[in-house]
Amino acid sequence: GAVVSQHPSRVICKSGTSVKIECRSLDFQATTMFWYRQFPKQSLMLMATSNEGSKATYEQGVEKDKFLINHASLTLSTLTVTSAHPEDSSFYICSARVGDDFYGYTFGSGTRLTVV
Amino acid sequence: GESVGLHLPTLSVQEGDNSIINCAYSNSASDYFIWYKQESGKGPQFIIDIRSNMDKRQGQRVTVLLNKTVKHLSLQIAATQPGDSAVYFCAEINTGKLIFGQGTTLQVKP
């Protein structure tokens, strides 16, 4: 089946530094990927939609200059949290739409970001 | 619908009993719904889906019911097992985006 690999699974960084999270589709091409953020004991909140070869579309309230998304190939999307602060500590999860299946989504295993 | 800042409710059931997890969705135009299971520290795992032209769909030990009149989804798990303990989310697809509902923590007591 379609597999999405997300890396790293855990990262701790100092306040003010930037962190990059990678999301790769291993056995399929993903023209569209999605980035979610999840705080403890809460639901997944969609941050942005990442489209290969074009600019990402951000949800309302998400700072695009802080959360940089790059989708340069059909198998890789990256999320960079710039100038991270403790309030950015969260669980970040990517998802990819599988091929032309408008209704098929598969998820990465998530990245636990802790900013100290 | 989206849960902003809301903590997850908890459903506690005895092993072997049936579980019913409920979800209200927000957009009447949504045409596809999915239930996901999420274990601690992991990404969501697909359980079952249903399209808006259906009101019931059954899988192995799971059944999803859709009531479009009141914008309500439910997930029924038969003979609940300890391995079913997790957080369960409903999600709706609207304009190509997968939007998650509030979620429920299911605790299975042995």
Side-chain angles (χ1 to χ4, degrees):
Chain A
V3 176
V4 169
S5 174
Q6 189 170 341
H7 180 80
S9 58
R10 290 179 174 272
V11 57
I12 300 173
C13 71
K14 291 185 177 179
S15 189
T17 62
S18 296
V19 173
K20 181 185 284 188
I21 302 169
E22 294 188 346
C23 182
R24 294 181 183 273
S25 56
L26 296 186
D27 49 1
F28 67 100
Q29 293 183 330
T31 53
T32 304
M33 291 186 175
F34 305 87
W35 288 96
Y36 293 83
R37 178 169 53 182
Q38 185 178 31
F39 292 110
K41 298 192 181 300
Q42 293 188 21
S43 187
L44 285 77
M45 300 298 297
L46 180 64
M47 299 175 65
T49 302
S50 166
N51 297 294
E52 186 268 337
S54 64
K55 290 183 179 180
T57 304
Y58 291 81
E59 295 299 302
Q60 191 173 10
V62 178
E63 302 174 58
K64 59 182 181 182
D65 293 331
K66 181 168 185 63
F67 298 99
L68 301 180
I69 291 172
N70 185 284
H71 194 159
S73 79
L74 287 171
T75 59
L76 176 64
S77 176
T78 61
L79 169 68
T80 301
V81 183
T82 63
S83 186
H85 289 98
E87 57 266 31
D88 298 323
S89 298
S90 189
F91 193 53
Y92 292 86
I93 307 170
C94 69
S95 172
R97 183 183 292 152
V98 182
D100 294 331
D101 186 350
F102 194 74
Y103 300 100
Y105 297 81
T106 189
F107 286 82
S109 54
T111 297
R112 173 72 61 194
L113 170 63
T114 303
V115 185
V116 298
Chain B
E2 296 201 29
S3 62
V4 179
L6 297 177
H7 284 208
L8 307 177
T10 299
L11 173 67
S12 186
V13 299
Q14 203 71 37
E15 181 180 356
D17 287 351
N18 296 335
S19 302
I20 300 176
I21 300 171
N22 297 303
C23 176
Y25 63 93
S26 59
N27 196 318
S28 56
S30 296
D31 59 355
Y32 183 61
F33 305 89
I34 309 171
W35 278 100
Y36 287 96
K37 174 184 180 182
Q38 186 183 29
E39 297 175 327
S40 181
K42 298 183 178 179
Q45 175 187 355
F46 174 92
I47 301 175
I48 192 169
D49 58 357
I50 188 168
R51 296 186 187 271
S52 60
N53 61 354
M54 304 170 69
D55 52 22
K56 181 180 179 178
R57 189 156 188 235
Q58 288 184 292
Q60 188 176 15
R61 274 202 314 121
V62 294
T63 300
V64 54
L65 299 178
L66 173 62
N67 185 330
K68 294 183 288 294
T69 302
V70 295
K71 293 190 287 187
H72 183 269
L73 272 170
S74 68
L75 175 70
Q76 301 176 2
I77 303 174
T80 313
Q81 303 169 359
D84 295 327
S85 294
V87 178
Y88 290 82
F89 293 99
C90 66
E92 60 187 296
I93 290 183
N94 185 16
T95 61
K97 294 188 289 189
L98 188 62
I99 305 298
F100 282 79
Q102 182 184 26
T104 298
T105 299
L106 177 64
Q107 294 178 343
V108 182
K109 296 178 288 187

